[in-house]
Amino acid sequence: GGRRMGRPPGPSSPLAPAGTTAMPGLVPDLIAGIPWPRWALILVALAASALIVSCLLCAFCCCRRRHKKQPRDKEAVGLGSARSSTTTHLVQPDVDRLQGDPEDPRQWGRLQLSLEYDLGSEEVKVGLKQAADLRAGGTADPYARVGVSTQPGHGHETKVHRGTLCPVFEETCCFHVPQAELPRTTLHVRLLDFKPFLEHRPLGELHLPLGAVDPQHVLERWYQLGPPGPQEPEQTGELCFSLRYVPSSGRLTVVVLEARGLSPGLAEPYVKVQLMVNQRKWKKRKTSARRGTASPYFNEAFTFLVPFSQIQSVDLVLAVWAHGLRFRAEPVGKVLLGSRASGQPLQHWADMLAHARRPIAQWHRLRPAREVDSILALRPRLHLPLPGS
């Protein structure tokens, strides 16, 4: 029995050190129970650690990305972000401009003008300064027409500025508007691209109520131009002349007095007077040219010998001619008188025959040259009452 008590402990029955429990030995016991070499266990542990770290990093990145996307999604819903400069540059610029809102005033350019109201004379003084960024798809020859709603048909036209989208006008015009009518009066400014002998292309418009004008201060600022309204009928102008016929001597006298309302930019306007008998050109005269004006004054007389027996076969054509941008004279408009005329020209011709030896003067609106030429080719003559018949 003493030997059994004094026998040293074997490896199968180890003694735990004092002050400890059996738990600290659990992990070593588990590792000892795995039939793998130690280096393999170390590799597995490292791989597991790397996998756990990777999963944590992915989770962190996903949470951060989701947190950033939330405000962007909210901005994408609003219409304001679609108009930001960043969005505009990311989209194709040309397509974005073409598909933009046609009512956007920024696409039609700007106009700088000043407004002043004189209480004493009850006049609105409009100072046209300049325009910028006009929309024309290239170069243009812009000019401006100015008017007020209370005076239809009365307005001011500026000079034509060649080959620019930023014309500098520096012109002033005045309109008589009683103070009582000022709150319901609107200033109209229409910018057009001058096209000689063609329909002028509108570039933009401004409609400005004058009720907001301070009578005691001069208002000067930039305004955004809006899209052009319905196309106005192109104004070709008017011509004033007198007719006088003496049956006994067969003398037909035409006095070309003046023209007005011609398109701006026409160089050196003049008037051709052409007399035809039985649709054949007989006599042709013309006035001298006038420079730098849309309202030329001529006061030149021309006399034609027309026998009394041929007066019913006469066609009298007065045409305003001018030089355009191509430096070639072309007709601006014509007036036809005689037995194949109509309207006011026919009445003027009839008055001349009814009041022999007395000059009869009238204003006539110019008609397109092609229209008058077609009338001469197609319309039959009328039999007008002659003096003494």
Side-chain angles (χ1 to χ4, degrees):
R3 290 178 182 178
R4 193 178 300 143
M5 295 295 296
R7 189 178 58 186
S12 60
S13 58
L15 295 176
T20 63
T21 63
M23 291 302 295
L26 179 62
V27 175
D29 290 342
L30 291 175
I31 295 175
I34 298 176
W36 287 0
R38 183 174 296 274
W39 62 268
L41 294 177
I42 294 174
L43 288 178
V44 171
L46 291 175
S49 300
L51 181 62
I52 293 173
V53 172
S54 300
C55 292
L56 291 176
L57 289 176
C58 291
F60 176 75
C61 293
C62 290
C63 293
R64 187 175 181 181
R65 188 178 302 145
R66 185 178 305 169
H67 178 72
K68 287 184 177 182
K69 279 186 176 181
Q70 288 178 356
R72 288 186 181 179
D73 294 340
K74 291 181 181 179
E75 291 178 2
V77 176
L79 296 178
S81 63
R83 298 179 181 272
S84 66
S85 59
T86 304
T87 306
T88 302
H89 289 293
L90 290 177
V91 183
Q92 298 180 12
D94 294 338
V95 177
D96 185 68
R97 291 193 189 99
L98 291 176
Q99 296 179 352
D101 185 2
E103 299 298 325
D104 188 354
R106 292 171 295 180
Q107 297 186 6
W108 299 99
R110 299 174 296 142
L111 177 67
Q112 184 187 25
L113 56 83
S114 64
L115 290 174
E116 182 181 3
Y117 186 73
D118 190 338
L119 288 172
S121 61
E122 293 188 323
E123 283 187 340
V124 177
K125 184 177 181 181
V126 183
L128 285 169
K129 303 297 182 180
Q130 58 183 322
D133 305 326
L134 297 179
R135 176 183 177 181
T139 59
D141 300 325
Y143 70 98
R145 291 179 181 172
V146 191
V148 292
S149 58
T150 55
Q151 301 177 22
H154 175 68
H156 172 78
E157 289 185 350
T158 68
K159 296 180 180 179
V160 177
H161 296 263
R162 308 289 185 183
T164 178
L165 298 180
C166 299
V168 179
F169 300 111
E170 294 296 341
E171 296 190 28
T172 303
C173 55
C174 297
F175 300 94
H176 179 74
V177 180
Q179 190 175 2
E181 298 181 5
L182 199 61
R184 54 179 181 271
T185 303
T186 302
L187 176 71
H188 303 289
V189 183
R190 184 179 180 91
L191 271 75
L192 299 103
D193 183 11
F194 174 77
K195 300 290 184 183
F197 314 112
L198 296 175
E199 189 175 15
H200 296 184
R201 178 177 53 163
L203 297 175
E205 287 187 6
L206 173 65
H207 301 277
L208 185 62
L210 297 181
V213 177
D214 187 353
Q216 299 180 355
H217 296 86
V218 178
L219 176 65
E220 180 175 332
R221 55 167 291 189
W222 284 91
Y223 296 90
Q224 294 286 354
L225 292 171
Q231 181 66 28
E232 298 176 354
E234 191 59 40
Q235 183 179 1
T236 54
E238 295 178 288
L239 182 64
C240 182
F241 54 88
S242 71
L243 301 177
R244 178 175 181 262
Y245 182 65
V246 180
S248 58
S249 61
R251 295 171 66 89
L252 174 62
T253 302
V254 181
V255 181
V256 181
L257 297 172
E258 59 181 316
R260 66 186 180 190
L262 301 180
S263 297
L266 295 177
E268 302 182 0
Y270 61 94
V271 179
K272 282 186 179 180
V273 183
Q274 182 175 298
L275 185 72
M276 294 185 292
V277 178
N278 293 324
Q279 301 184 10
R280 293 188 303 174
K281 296 180 181 179
W282 194 8
K283 298 287 185 179
K284 184 189 298 183
R285 309 282 179 82
K286 68 177 182 179
T287 68
S288 55
R290 299 291 187 268
R291 295 184 178 181
T293 177
S295 301
Y297 181 76
F298 302 102
N299 194 24
E300 297 185 31
F302 306 99
T303 301
F304 302 92
L305 294 178
V306 182
F308 182 73
S309 59
Q310 294 182 328
I311 195 64
Q312 289 278 24
S313 303
V314 167
D315 293 307
L316 181 65
V317 179
L318 287 88
V320 176
W321 288 63
H323 291 82
L325 293 178
R326 291 171 289 184
F327 304 102
R328 185 181 65 184
E330 296 186 30
V332 177
K334 295 183 177 183
V335 180
L336 170 63
L337 298 104
S339 56
R340 287 193 291 178
S342 62
Q344 186 179 358
L346 178 62
Q347 185 62 48
H348 191 182
W349 187 260
D351 291 344
M352 177 200 71
L353 296 178
H355 302 85
R357 302 178 179 85
R358 198 172 84 186
I360 307 294
Q362 285 188 19
W363 281 96
H364 294 271
R365 181 164 295 278
L366 296 171
R367 303 175 69 175
R370 294 179 182 176
E371 184 178 331
V372 173
D373 294 341
S374 63
I375 292 174
L376 287 172
L378 300 176
R379 179 173 294 175
R381 298 186 180 278
L382 298 175
H383 293 285
L384 300 176
L386 297 177
S389 59

